[in-house]
Structure formats: C-alpha cells, structure tokens
C-alpha cells in the first residue's frame, strides 16, 4: 500500500515592516505608506502604526524590487525579482493585470501623465513600454549595456498653442554610466549623455520639465537644462519639418540643438553613491539620498530670490571697493573682478537640511502635497535597512519665520514594533501553541499566533537560543555574552540575569520532567539547572519569584553546540565543535556513546519519542539517523543545497516536502506541540507559519511534479525570443538576429502563454473536426448516399453546451490580453489558417471587434511571408477585409453617436448649472479705474 502524508502549506508571513530590495512610496492621499514586504506589499498607517492592508498573490514567490504610483490614485505598478510586473488596485487589493517581459529583476518603473502607459527597466538592460488600458506590451527598447536604474516619461510640447502636451519621450539611466533620451514616436534613442565617470543610479525631472538632475558615484549632483524647442520638433519629417523650419527661421530655434545640456554641479556632503533623487511635488525642494545614514535636502530658489541674491552680491562688492578706496588702494579696487550675473546651478539649488538616522537609508518619498505653504511643513517617509519605516517633518521656511522657531527635521512617527532590527536567531512556541517567542540582537518579542500581532517587546542581549518555561509565563534566553536572561511576560521585564557560561550559550533545553533545564556553551561546559522559588524584598513586602539554581556541570573537550534530552530522561546527547556527538547517562553523567561521521559540526539534533533514535543535522549539509542502542548510523542523507527547509520520512529516508518561501538563510525553527504548525525564522527577518492540512501527499506525485517544474523552466528559457524586427522581410514576430537592434518585442514566453496557445490549438482542432464531419455528412446526403449516420457530437461540446464557433471564441476570450501575442506565436501555420477562417465568421457575427482586429493584425504581421506565398488564402482574406470594413464602420458610427450625445449632455449641464459670481467691490474699483483712464485720455486730446 502506498503511504500518504499530510501537506504543510504557508499560512501567514509576518515580522517584515519593509524589505531592503525595493523603494517605499506614499499613497495618493499621503495618509498611508506603500512598503515592500518580501514577496508581498504592505500598506501601513504610520500615524496609528497599524497594518491596514497587504497585497498578496498566491502564484508569486519572487521578491518585490520596485513600486510606482499611477496618476489615477488607485493603480500601483509593482515589479518583482522574476521580471514580472503586476498592477494592483488600492481599493480592492487585487492584482488587475500581470505583465511578463523581463528576464530578470525589474529595477525601475514609471507611469506617464495620463496613467495609460507604463515603462519598466530591469537588470536585463531592456526598457519595455506597456499599454495599461489595453493590457499589452507595446515594444522593447534596447541600447543600454548594464542594469537600468531609473526611467521617467517626458512630454512632447505641443506645436499648436493651447493643445495638451503628449508623453513622447522617455529618459533612462543605467549602470553603464549613460543617460539616454528615447523618442517614442520613432522608437529609437535620440540623445546619449556621457556625464558621469561611474554608474548613474537615479535621475528626476521637475514638473515643468525644464530641469533634470542625475546622481551616481560622484561627490556631486549633475544638473541639466531641457530645451523644450528641441523636444517639440524631435526628428520631424515632411510637412511637419517644413513648419518647424519656418519657425526656426523666424528665430524660434536655430540649428539642430541638444535637447539636454549641462547646467552645473551641486556639491554633496556625503561621499557615498546616490541612491534616490526626487523633486518635491511643489517643486520647491530636492531630496538626495546616499547609501549611508543621511538624506540631503536642497531648496530651489525662485527667480525673485535669485535676483535678490545677485543684488546682495553686487552690494557687497561695491562696499568692498569703497573700503579699498578709503584705504588708498586704488589698484586693488580696480582689479576687483565684477560679479558674474549669469545664473549658475548653485544659485538656483542651495543646501537646506540634512536628515540623519541610526541606520542606513534604503529609499524615501515626499508626501504628495503641492501647497506646502498652506500645510506649513514638508513631510517625507523613509525606509531603513534595519526593517524600520520613519516619517520626518520639516517646517516650511516661511512658517518657521512666522513662528520664530528652528525648521530642523523632526522624526514624527516610527514603525518598528512589528519586526526585528536584525536577524532572528531563535524562536520558541508555548506549550499550547498560542504564543511565539522570537529573539535577535537586543530584542525579544512575543507574538500572538492567531493574530500575528506583537504583544510584548523587551530588550535583551545578543540572543542565540530561547524557550518558554513551564506555565508559559516566563521566557529564558541564552546570549552570546554567556548570560541566562529570565523574562516575566506579565510585567514585560527581565527578572534576572545569570552569568551561566564563560562564552556564548549556543543551546538550551527544558528537562522532560519540566523541573529544570540544561545549557551548553562555548566554554566547553554543559550545565544543569533546577527551577526554584526565591524570596525577594519589594518595598515592605516579600514576594516569591522564579529563579534558576545551578546543580551540576559536565566538562567537555570542545565547544558545545547543541544539547538534547531523550524523552525518557535517561540520556543526554551533546554535539561538539569537533563534529562528534557524545551521549551520556543523565543520572550519573557517565559516558555511553560517541557518534562520529559528520565532516563538519552538528548544529542541531533531536531524539525520537521512543528514545531509540537520534537525528543530527550538520553544516556539511547532511542529515544522519543514529541508533541509540549501539550508536550505529542507520542512514545518511545529503539533504540541503540552499537555505530551504525539508521534511523527511524517517522510515523510508525519502524527502517528502520542500517548504520554499524564505528569501535568505533559515536560522531557527519551532514545531508545535502536536505538529500542526511549524514556525520558521530567516535572515530576511520574516517569520512564517506553515500549517498542516488534510491534503494528502504521495511521494511519486511530488517527484513527478518536481520533474515537471524543471522541464517547464528549461522549456520557457528555450522559447525566449531575442527581438522583434522585420529586416525588410515583413516577419515582425521573428526573432532578432542582430545585436544592435534598438526595437524588439515586449513579451516573453512563459508557461501561461504556452498553455494558452495550446488551449486555442485544441479548440481549433476540435471545432475543425466537428465542422468537417458535418460537411462530409451533408455532402454524402447531397450525393444521395444511403445508410449514412449523423456524426456524433464531441462530449466536450455537449458538456459545455457550445457550438464549434462558440468553443473557439470562448478559447480566444479566455486568453489574457497581456499574453495574447505570445500565445498566438505558439500556433503552427495550419492552425493560423484555420483561425483566420474562424475570424471571418466572428466578424460576420459581430463579436468583439477590437479583439478580432488585434488577433488578425498580429497573425498577418507574424506570418506575412507564408500568407503572401499562399494564393489559396486570397479569397478568404478578401472576405475578411470586406466584412471587417462593414463591422468597423458600424463601430465608428456607434462611437460617433455616443460622442455627440456626451457633448450634448455636457453642454446642457454647463448651461443649466453654471452661474457667474461677481465681487461688487472689485467691480466698483474696475469701473473707477476705467472712468479715470477715460478722463486722462480726454485731457490729453484737448
């Protein structure tokens, strides 16, 4: 009989406030903070310190690497380490769209001003422009030679006054030291700026798009001026170029100039590389964050302030010349250089404040408040590398002058209670599995397992091991300094600190009789302790409290790494630094067995419930099972290759499950009393609960699933395309062969696209078989053949209650818009021919015309050569063209009618709901001015 096991599945993840591989941003209202939390996105209320939401996708295990906010105030683009991008809704907390195009981690995201387009950059050096409304990738831009670090949309100024500018350019920076300006109308690189000596890490453009700032490993910030006239023309051709030439002759713009020119450099205080550059929404401030513990803020002066500064500078120079003349130094006064009246970058951008913190900053974002004078202060949120989020406020200079107070930065809120500052080194569960204890350097936290909320936080030493004492009211912690720290959960305080060992305490365990515990440390000692109640003077009263009494010491030959009791309390197993395990009798402490075979020290071990077997897990990645009767090794298994947890069968010595989810080394593990839950702690500072379910696991199925996953991974890698150009042959969907192509396809083959293409192919085959069978039957009936039986319908079509036409259309509609192009590339040419025939039917039935057009145009572009060479398809294509024109004309009429109706409703609304309000005082003053001016004119005429 095949043995079945129960599956462990992820239940929840907590303990992460912000992860360090992505940026942090405000939401559109400025009330909440959108923070990366490993593979999830957490929504925090910094004022209350509460987690108000979490964006989680069960299909995703990759870490969040980039977040961007759209202009519509509800959509947020989130990039992941596997190259995927998801558009999340703030209202519903659901992933609306999933894009797959990059082959490595997404590092930069930006929406255009309308929120309808998104551009992404990744470590694979590519830029991809996505249509958010159409849910499709438009094209891929290539040119950078290293990771993309930032992207920004820029508007093309309108040539006709009064028209709205359109987003016609993209600015990108990369670690290849280059800044590139891309023209989206021609889809090519328009300018390349070589300004930095090393990697360019970020850039930003101000709101009116006249200034660009960029930063890298240099000790200053580069400032650039943007020429709107060059952006307006671009590389114009034809009539457009003629009109532009006339404007240039008229003096609007002469010659083919650079769109971006160097303006100057702004010195920084920090010597580390720049990580984030951002203009404030009000355009009054500029923030620069380096890869250290500081954020520098700069003020951007207005023209009036710059003129005042210039006048003060001239005044000081005149005073200096007059002082020299009084002294009789005529030559010195004459040689004094005049003040340079040209405005420099340092005149416009001046240092304002420096924000410093106790840990390194990861990213920051300004609050989306444009009118800072009205609010009176500037607010920004920062994420730190130690799993902390801080909100800082700075008084506006005008408000500080009015209130006569210093406008120094002030830390308003801090999010730190919901996670550890450093790696979690030890976890323990209470006996009833309701409380969880986690310990790290200087921090001990108690969590509620059901709500995953932190209910106690206490300061401790550098914790290496911990355990709940009987009764679940106390926690014992062993530290790196050799102290045993006893904590009372009721009072949230340390009751006692005992100098237990002369070195780090690596291990401790509660005795099976629950009357004491055993500890082992780096001082080569194993110490046995008993619980005792001691009296303590508390003011005028005497109270009893729990304490530890040292009973016995077992001297070892090397550092003690792990100590375990057998459940019957007869034996004590001790693992040493010399890679051996020694077994002693508990009552007499006499030596019993020595277990050797590991190449590296044993870090953890456990004894079976019947006290007959010992399992050891070593740093050599092996797990060994020993018999405690003779000390023989029953089985040795090479268990681990990476930092993942595995669950093994001790009878058959086979791997049952791999619990994958952590993004770093797993430091600690705790199993519930009845084995229903497992809690793991990792280097990524997360705590994960794994729940035992009723779902059965069969080993053969698990191994088959692992092989399928390996096959799918290699299959999608082999299907990856390298580009999309036609090379003059019309094969737009064909892979690119040249290395210098700037334009390529946006999509990427994934298992989802392959399966979608296979579903469409299967639907076409089934529908064609059904139609051909009926066609043959009808032809036989027409010829007068007797004894013909009607073709039997497909069981699938009968169960779905669909006709062949409905079945094909249903298969097409089920394909996600973002995966449609890649799914159609899976189809062989025979299936393409069949699909074109069905498209003709769909056009006549007036199905979704936009979907039909998209499928039709893509198929014709991708298979242009084969279609042109096949004359048999011409009548069918003529029919498609004729029917499609009729369908499109109907759609055009409907759209025109709806637009006219909406314009009529708008005019009616404006006519009925618009009123003019006049200020009587202002009207009276205007009339008086008018009368005075008339009198003056009459007087002049006389």
């Amino acid at each position: 009989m095949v043995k079945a096991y129960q599956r462990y599945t992820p239940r929840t993840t907590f303990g992460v406030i912000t992860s360090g591989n992505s940026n942090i941003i405000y939401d559109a209202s400025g009330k909440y903070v959108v923070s990366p939390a490993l593979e999830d996105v957490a929504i925090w209320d910094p004022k209350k310190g509460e987690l108000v939401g979490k964006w989680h996708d069960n299909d995703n295990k990759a870490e969040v690497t980039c977040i961007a906010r759209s202009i519509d105030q509800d959509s947020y683009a989130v990039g992941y380490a596997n190259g995927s991008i998801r558009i999340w809704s703030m209202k519903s907390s659901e992933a609306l769209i999933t894009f797959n195009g990059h082959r490595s981690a997404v590092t930069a995201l930006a929406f255009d001003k309308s929120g309808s387009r998104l551009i992404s950059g990744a470590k694979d050096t590519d830029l991809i422009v996505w249509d958010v409304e159409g849910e499709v990738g438009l094209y891929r831009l290539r040119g950078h030679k290293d990771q993309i670090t930032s992207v920004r949309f820029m508007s093309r100024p309108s040539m006709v006054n009064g028209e709205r500018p359109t987003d016609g350019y993209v600015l990108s920076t990369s670690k290849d030291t280059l800044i590139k300006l891309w023209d989206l109308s021609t889809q090519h690189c328009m300018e390349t700026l070589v300004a930095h000596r090393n990697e360019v890490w970020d850039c930003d453009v101000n709101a009116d798009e006249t200034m660009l700032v960029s930063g890298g490993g240099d000790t200053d910030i580069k400032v650039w001026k943007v020429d709107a006239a060059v952006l307006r023309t671009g590389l114009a051709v034809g009539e457009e170029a003629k009109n532009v030439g006339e404007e240039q002759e008229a003096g609007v713009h002469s010659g083919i100039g650079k769109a971006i020119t160097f303006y100057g450099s702004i010195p920084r205080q920090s010597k580390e590389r720049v990580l984030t550059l951002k203009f404030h929404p009000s355009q009054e401030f500029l923030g620069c964050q380096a890869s250290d513990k500081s954020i520098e803020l700069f003020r951007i002066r207005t023209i009036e302030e710059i003129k005042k500064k210039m006048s003060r500078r001239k005044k000081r120079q005149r005073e200096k010349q007059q002082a020299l003349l009084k002294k009789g130094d005529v030559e010195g006064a004459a040689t004094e250089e005049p003040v340079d009246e040209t405005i420099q970058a340092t005149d416009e951008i001046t240092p304002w404040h420096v924000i410093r913190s106790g840990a390194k900053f990861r990213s920051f974002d300004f609050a989306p408040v444009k009118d800072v004078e009205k609010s009176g202060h500037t607010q920004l949120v920062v994420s730190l590398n130690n799993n902390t989020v801080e909100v800082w406020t700075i008084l506006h200079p005008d408000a500080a002058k009015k209130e006569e107070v210093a406008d120094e930065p002030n830390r308003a809120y801090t999010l730190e209670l919901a996670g550890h500052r450093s790696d979690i080194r030890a976890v323990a569960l209470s006996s009833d599995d309701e409380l969880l204890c986690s310990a790290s350097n200087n921090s001990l936290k108690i969590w509620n397992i059901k709500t995953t909320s932190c209910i106690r936080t206490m300061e401790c030493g550098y914790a290496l091991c911990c355990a709940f004492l009987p009764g679940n009211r106390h926690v014992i912690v062993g530290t790196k300094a050799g102290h045993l720290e006893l904590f009372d959960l009721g009072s949230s305080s340390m009751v006692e600190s005992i100098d237990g060992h002369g070195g780090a305490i690596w291990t401790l365990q509660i005795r099976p009789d629950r009357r004491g515990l055993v500890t082992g440390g780096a001082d080569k000692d194993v110490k046995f302790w008993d619980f005792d109640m001691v009296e303590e003077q508390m003011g005028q009263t005497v109270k009893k409290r729990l304490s530890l009494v040292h009973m016995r010491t077992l001297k070892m030959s090397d550092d003690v790494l792990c100590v375990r009791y057998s459940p019957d309390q007869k034996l004590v197993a001790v693992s040493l630094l010399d890679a051996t395990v020694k077994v002693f009798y508990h009552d007499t402490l006499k030596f019993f067995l020595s277990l050797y075979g590991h190449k590296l020290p044993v870090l953890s071990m456990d004894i079976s419930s019947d006290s007959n077997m010992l399992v050891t897990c070593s740093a050599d990645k092996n797990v060994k099972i020993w018999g405690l009767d003779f000390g023989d090794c029953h089985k040795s298994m090479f268990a681990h290759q990476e930092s993942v947890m595995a669950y093994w069968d001790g009878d058959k010595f086979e791997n049952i499950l791999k619990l994958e989810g952590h993004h770093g080394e797993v430091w600690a593990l705790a199993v519930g009393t009845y084995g229903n839950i497992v809690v793991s702690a990792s280097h990524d500072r997360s705590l994960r609960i794994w729940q035992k379910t009723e779902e059965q696991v069969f080993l053969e199925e698990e191994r088959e699933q692992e092989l399928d996953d390996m096959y799918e991974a290699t299959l999608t890698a082999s299907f990856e395309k390298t580009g999309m150009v036609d090379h003059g042959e019309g094969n737009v969907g064909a892979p690119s062969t040249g290395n210098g192509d700037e334009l390529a396809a946006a999509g990427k083959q994934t298992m989802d696209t392959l399966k979608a293409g296979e579903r469409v192919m299967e639907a076409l085959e089934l529908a064609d078989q059904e139609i051909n069978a009926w066609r043959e039957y009808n032809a036989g009936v027409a010829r007068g053949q007797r004894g013909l039986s009607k073709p039997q319908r497909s069981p699938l079509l009968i169960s779905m209650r669909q006709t062949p036409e409905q079945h094909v259309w249903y298969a097409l509609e089920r394909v996600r818009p973002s995966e449609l192009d890649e799914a159609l590339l899976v189809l062989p040419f025979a299936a393409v021919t069949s699909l074109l025939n069905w498209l003709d039917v769909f056009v006549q039935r007036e199905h979704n015309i936009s979907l039909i057009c998209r499928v039709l145009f893509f198929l014709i572009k991708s298979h242009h050569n084969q279609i042109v060479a096949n004359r048999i398809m011409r009548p069918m294509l003529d029919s498609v063209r004729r029917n499609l024109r009729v369908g499109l004309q109907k759609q055009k009429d409907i759209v025109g009618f709806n637009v006219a109706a909406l314009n009529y409703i708008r005019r009616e609304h404006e006519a009925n709901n618009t009123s003019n309000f006049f200020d009587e005082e202002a009207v009276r003053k205007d009339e008086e001015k008018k009368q005075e001016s008339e009198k003056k004119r009459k007087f002049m005429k006389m």
Side-chain angles (χ1 to χ4, degrees):
M1 185 177 176
V2 179
K3 186 175 181 180
Y5 306 86
Q6 287 179 286
R7 184 181 297 278
Y8 280 85
T9 57
R11 179 172 135 188
T12 185
T13 303
F14 58 100
V16 181
I17 301 172
T18 178
S19 50
N21 287 336
S22 175
N23 61 313
I24 189 171
I25 62 171
Y26 270 107
D27 75 327
S29 65
K31 182 180 179 182
Y32 300 121
V33 171
V34 182
S35 168
L38 299 178
E39 71 271 17
D40 300 333
V41 178
I43 314 298
W44 295 92
D45 185 342
K47 193 172 183 180
K48 297 180 180 178
E50 295 177 354
L51 180 69
V52 296
K54 182 176 280 191
W55 299 342
H56 176 74
D57 191 343
N58 293 327
D59 298 331
N60 173 58
K61 293 182 181 178
E63 193 171 355
V64 174
T65 55
C66 191
I67 306 175
R69 183 179 66 244
S70 175
I71 196 71
D72 65 359
Q73 301 186 359
D74 181 55
S75 301
Y76 292 79
V78 180
Y80 295 87
N82 60 358
S84 64
I85 302 168
R86 287 172 174 80
I87 308 296
W88 291 87
S89 170
M90 174 67 84
K91 294 178 182 176
S92 62
S93 296
E94 293 180 354
L96 306 177
I97 313 168
T98 301
F99 292 128
N100 284 292
H102 291 289
R103 293 181 292 276
S104 56
V106 179
T107 54
L109 289 168
F111 282 95
D112 68 355
K113 291 186 177 179
S114 64
S116 61
R117 285 188 297 177
L118 171 72
I119 186 163
S120 60
K123 286 185 178 179
D124 60 7
T125 75
D126 291 346
L127 296 165
I128 300 181
V129 180
W130 308 90
D131 182 357
V132 178
E133 294 178 352
E135 301 182 19
V136 63
L138 298 177
Y139 41 83
R140 184 189 303 261
L141 300 173
R142 287 177 171 160
H144 285 290
K145 304 299 182 186
D146 208 336
Q147 170 188 328
I148 308 295
T149 53
S150 67
V151 288
R152 296 289 186 276
F153 272 102
M154 291 183 66
S155 301
R156 179 191 292 273
S158 176
M159 290 189 178
V160 181
N161 293 331
E163 288 191 4
R164 292 181 61 187
T166 58
D167 289 298
Y169 296 95
V170 162
L171 199 70
S172 63
T173 64
S174 170
K175 288 173 68 175
D176 61 5
T177 74
L178 301 178
I179 303 174
K180 285 182 178 287
L181 180 66
W182 304 82
D183 188 346
L184 297 186
S185 60
T186 58
Q187 299 166 10
H188 82 291
C189 179
M190 181 177 168
E191 280 188 19
T192 300
L193 306 177
V194 184
H196 294 266
R197 296 181 179 178
N198 41 32
E199 295 96 339
V200 185
W201 282 98
D202 200 10
C203 74
D204 199 12
V205 184
N206 62 351
D208 53 5
E209 296 183 350
T210 58
M211 186 188 299
L212 163 71
V213 291
S214 62
D218 307 325
T219 56
D220 53 9
I221 302 170
K222 306 289 185 186
V223 186
W224 311 78
K225 279 292 185 182
V226 181
D227 192 341
V230 178
L231 293 183
R232 183 182 299 112
T233 60
L235 294 179
V237 293
E239 290 295 325
E240 188 179 356
K242 184 179 177 182
N243 298 333
V244 173
E246 292 174 357
E247 287 185 3
Q248 291 179 356
E249 288 176 3
V252 177
H253 184 71
S254 59
I256 300 176
K258 291 279 189 181
I260 302 174
T261 53
F262 184 67
Y263 184 34
S265 298
I266 306 296
R268 298 189 293 123
Q269 292 187 14
S270 174
K271 304 301 180 185
E272 300 292 329
R273 64 180 174 89
V274 172
L275 278 185
T276 311
L277 277 172
K278 249 174 201 176
F279 281 102
H280 191 272
S282 66
Q283 306 306 309
E284 294 186 24
F285 312 107
L286 170 68
C288 174
Q289 175 232 329
S291 61
D292 56 8
K293 302 177 182 179
S294 66
I295 295 176
E296 298 178 43
L297 298 178
F298 299 86
R299 274 199 67 195
I300 300 175
R301 291 193 177 106
T302 61
I303 297 298
E304 290 76 12
E305 290 175 333
I306 295 173
K307 287 180 179 178
K308 287 181 182 179
K309 184 180 179 182
M310 289 287 185
S311 62
R312 285 197 299 268
R313 196 179 296 170
K314 288 180 182 178
K315 184 179 180 182
R316 283 196 299 269
Q317 188 186 30
R318 286 196 302 269
E319 291 174 353
K320 188 176 180 181
Q321 287 177 342
Q322 291 174 1
L324 290 173
L325 289 173
K326 285 182 180 180
K327 292 180 181 179
D329 189 359
V330 180
E331 293 182 358
T335 56
E336 190 71 25
E337 293 183 1
V339 174
D340 187 6
E341 296 188 10
T342 58
I343 299 176
Q344 306 291 333
T346 50
D347 297 330
E348 194 167 351
I349 302 174
T350 180
W352 185 34
H353 284 300
V354 179
I355 297 175
R356 302 188 189 277
S357 186
K360 283 188 176 182
F361 290 110
R362 170 58 187 86
S363 67
F364 80 95
D365 188 30
F366 285 111
V369 178
K370 291 186 178 180
D371 193 356
V372 288
E373 291 187 8
K374 185 177 180 181
S375 62
H377 65 272
T378 304
Q379 194 173 72
L380 67 156
V381 62
V382 297
S383 63
L384 282 72
N385 280 347
N386 65 349
N387 196 24
T388 306
V389 172
E390 295 178 347
V391 177
W392 292 76
T393 58
I394 309 163
L395 280 176
H396 191 272
D398 296 342
K401 286 180 182 178
K402 289 179 182 178
E403 298 178 11
E404 297 182 355
V405 293
D407 58 346
E408 291 298 319
N410 174 42
R411 188 188 288 108
Y413 313 111
T414 304
L415 293 173
E416 59 180 0
L417 291 178
H420 285 274
R421 306 283 75 75
S422 57
D423 291 9
I424 302 170
R425 299 307 300 263
V427 290
L429 281 165
S430 61
S431 58
D432 54 5
D433 293 346
E434 290 187 357
L435 297 178
L436 171 69
C437 162
S438 62
S440 64
N441 184 13
N442 299 327
S443 178
L444 172 70
K445 289 183 179 288
I446 310 298
W447 308 82
N448 186 322
I449 286 291
K450 291 183 179 179
T451 62
T452 66
S453 59
C454 180
I455 55 178
R456 295 284 189 276
T457 299
M458 295 164 277
E459 290 187 4
C460 66
Y462 195 119
L464 297 177
C465 53
C466 64
F468 276 94
L469 298 189
N472 300 327
R473 295 182 179 179
H474 297 81
V475 170
I476 188 77
V477 174
T479 67
K480 194 174 183 179
H483 300 300
L484 279 171
E485 297 178 348
L486 183 62
F487 292 88
D488 181 11
L489 301 186
S491 61
S492 299
S493 61
M494 184 193 298
V495 176
E496 188 176 7
S497 179
I498 304 168
D499 292 333
H501 289 264
I505 301 177
W506 291 109
T507 178
L508 64 85
Q509 190 193 17
I510 306 298
R511 219 160 57 203
D513 63 3
R514 306 174 69 82
R515 294 184 178 179
L517 57 87
V518 60
T519 60
D523 57 356
K524 305 179 184 180
D525 287 347
V526 177
K527 294 190 176 182
F528 298 87
W529 308 78
D530 280 355
F531 299 133
D532 192 15
M533 298 298 292
V534 296
E535 293 183 350
E536 190 176 46
Q537 188 76 25
M538 299 288 292
Q540 297 181 352
T541 60
V542 177
K543 290 186 177 181
K544 289 187 176 182
R545 65 168 178 83
L546 187 67
S547 181
L548 296 177
V549 179
H550 179 222
M551 303 302 293
R552 295 183 293 175
T553 300
L554 176 62
K555 297 285 186 180
M556 304 303 297
S557 60
D558 215 329
D559 290 14
V560 178
L561 299 181
C562 187
V563 178
R564 286 292 178 268
Y565 275 108
S566 64
D568 58 9
Q569 204 173 313
K570 291 182 179 179
L571 302 175
V572 177
V574 182
S575 74
L576 304 177
L577 194 62
D578 60 5
T580 63
V581 177
K582 302 287 194 295
V583 183
F584 299 87
Y585 291 104
H586 174 253
D587 50 358
T588 61
L589 296 184
K590 285 187 177 180
F591 176 74
F592 175 44
L593 293 171
S594 180
L595 312 177
Y596 55 90
H598 283 290
K599 297 176 182 177
L600 291 173
V602 173
L603 302 178
S604 181
M605 58 184 177
D606 201 7
I607 299 176
S608 62
S609 58
D610 58 2
S611 303
N612 290 331
M613 297 178 72
L614 171 73
V615 60
T616 58
C617 139
S618 167
D620 60 10
K621 302 179 184 178
N622 284 292
V623 172
K624 294 181 184 291
I625 298 179
W626 312 79
L628 287 179
D629 43 4
F630 302 107
D632 56 328
C633 181
H634 289 188
K635 186 70 175 178
S636 179
M637 297 170 287
F638 184 74
H640 292 272
Q641 293 177 342
E642 299 292 339
S643 54
V644 298
M645 302 180 305
Y647 168 30
W648 295 77
D649 183 350
D651 296 328
K652 295 186 177 181
F653 312 113
E654 290 182 309
N655 181 11
I656 300 171
L657 284 175
K658 282 184 181 178
L659 305 180
E660 297 180 354
H662 283 292
H663 300 273
E665 297 88 343
V666 179
W667 288 123
L669 199 68
V671 182
T673 306
Y674 305 105
N676 292 328
I677 61 170
V678 174
V679 180
S680 58
S682 169
H683 171 68
D684 59 18
R685 300 191 180 98
S686 70
L687 290 159
R688 294 176 188 264
I689 300 177
W690 311 82
Q691 181 82 38
K692 184 192 281 187
T693 62
E694 297 298 324
E695 181 184 353
Q696 289 187 331
V697 176
F698 299 97
L699 297 184
E700 291 184 1
E701 293 181 1
E702 287 297 309
R703 300 295 87 80
E704 288 176 3
Q705 184 62 41
E706 290 176 6
L707 291 174
D708 288 344
D709 293 341
M710 290 175 60
Y711 171 71
E712 289 176 359
T714 55
L715 185 65
T716 52
S718 65
F719 266 98
E720 277 186 0
K721 303 191 308 300
T722 56
M724 186 190 77
V725 288
D726 58 4
H727 301 294
E729 301 176 0
N731 291 333
V732 182
S736 169
T737 56
N739 294 325
D741 301 321
E742 287 187 347
L743 183 64
K748 181 184 74 170
Q749 283 287 4
T750 62
M751 281 312 301
D752 292 335
T753 60
L754 291 175
K755 290 176 181 178
E758 289 174 356
R759 285 195 297 268
V760 174
M761 209 184 317
E762 290 170 0
L764 289 170
E765 290 177 1
L766 182 61
D768 289 344
Q769 288 174 4
E770 191 87 4
I771 294 296
N772 290 334
W774 278 100
R775 190 175 294 159
E776 292 176 3
Y777 171 75
N778 293 331
V781 171
R783 288 194 298 268
Q785 293 181 5
R786 296 181 179 179
L788 292 176
S789 59
K790 288 186 178 182
Q792 288 195 356
R793 291 196 65 197
S794 167
L796 180 62
L797 294 179
I798 295 173
S799 64
M800 297 181 71
R801 297 180 180 178
Q802 290 177 340
T803 62
E805 174 194 336
Q806 291 172 341
H807 187 60
V808 175
W809 182 249
Y810 176 70
L812 265 181
E813 278 193 321
R814 282 182 63 194
V815 182
R816 292 177 182 172
S818 58
E819 299 172 354
L820 184 59
D821 292 353
E822 302 300 320
L824 292 174
L825 286 177
V826 177
L827 303 180
F829 188 67
V832 170
T833 308
S834 173
L835 184 54
L836 287 173
N837 286 315
W838 282 109
L839 289 177
D840 190 17
V841 177
F842 299 151
V843 171
Q844 297 176 31
R845 299 288 192 275
E846 297 184 357
H847 288 308
N848 186 349
I849 199 74
S850 61
L851 177 59
I852 294 172
C853 290
R854 184 179 167 191
V855 173
L856 178 64
F857 298 156
F858 184 81
L859 290 178
I860 292 176
K861 284 181 181 179
S862 302
H863 303 276
H864 184 264
N865 283 353
Q866 294 90 334
I867 293 173
V868 169
N870 193 341
R871 295 186 178 182
I872 302 173
M873 298 179 64
R874 183 170 180 176
M876 180 266 296
L877 290 175
D878 285 338
S879 174
V880 172
R881 180 182 61 181
R882 186 168 54 254
N883 295 323
L884 188 61
R885 282 182 176 177
V886 174
L888 288 173
Q889 186 61 43
K890 288 183 179 179
Q891 292 290 323
K892 183 180 177 182
D893 294 342
I894 293 172
V895 170
F897 180 82
N898 290 337
V899 169
L902 289 172
N903 286 332
Y904 172 76
I905 293 172
R906 179 174 59 83
R907 289 195 300 270
E908 286 290 315
H909 178 77
E910 290 177 354
N912 297 328
N913 296 280
T914 303
S915 301
N916 294 324
F917 294 93
F918 298 100
D919 186 356
E920 293 182 358
E921 185 68 22
V923 172
R924 186 180 59 78
K925 288 183 179 179
D926 289 342
E927 289 179 353
E928 289 178 356
K929 287 182 180 179
K930 188 176 179 181
Q931 291 174 359
E932 288 178 0
S933 62
E934 288 178 355
K935 288 179 180 178
K936 288 180 181 178
R937 281 199 298 270
K938 288 178 182 178
F939 176 76
M940 291 297 294
K941 284 179 182 178
M942 290 173 66

